[in-house]
Amino acid sequence: MGESKQQKKGGFLNALKGVLYGMASHGNVTAALRTRMHMEHLFMFITLGDMLGIPVLPPYYSLRILPYAVPNIESWKQRVFRERDFTDAIY
């Protein structure tokens, strides 16, 4: 019987922790992730902008950074070129 009370107490505390997280910091975490996404888009655009016809950096520097950016090229192109809807801005 003692174990079931501890499980109930642990379940209640986990639920309370989830509610407090949602109330206090979910907005901050979401904003930080959105900022990170925008910074990654900007980095890829600066590094590989010549793929889109916009040379931002000289090719020498782009080639030096290229090995770090290659794994993300396909997903970046899909994110940049996908169709947008007005509901995307609501988020």
Side-chain angles (χ1 to χ4, degrees), residues 7 10 19 49 56 80 82:
Q7 288 176 351
V19 168
V56 180
V80 169
R82 81 175 173 88

Side-chain angles (χ1 to χ4, degrees), residues 36-84:
R36 179 181 174 195
M37 178 189 67
H38 291 302
M39 293 298 284
E40 287 179 2
H41 280 287
L42 184 62
F43 171 73
M44 293 295 285
F45 177 71
I46 289 172
T47 305
L48 303 172
D50 52 346
M51 288 178 111
L52 302 173
I54 305 167
V56 180
L57 277 179
Y60 173 74
Y61 297 109
S62 294
L63 288 175
R64 291 201 52 157
I65 299 173
L66 190 63
Y68 303 104
V70 166
N72 302 324
I73 290 176
E74 281 301 316
S75 63
W76 173 71
K77 286 197 313 191
Q78 288 174 356
R79 286 190 310 260
V80 169
F81 290 128
R82 81 175 173 88
E83 289 187 29
R84 305 258 191 252

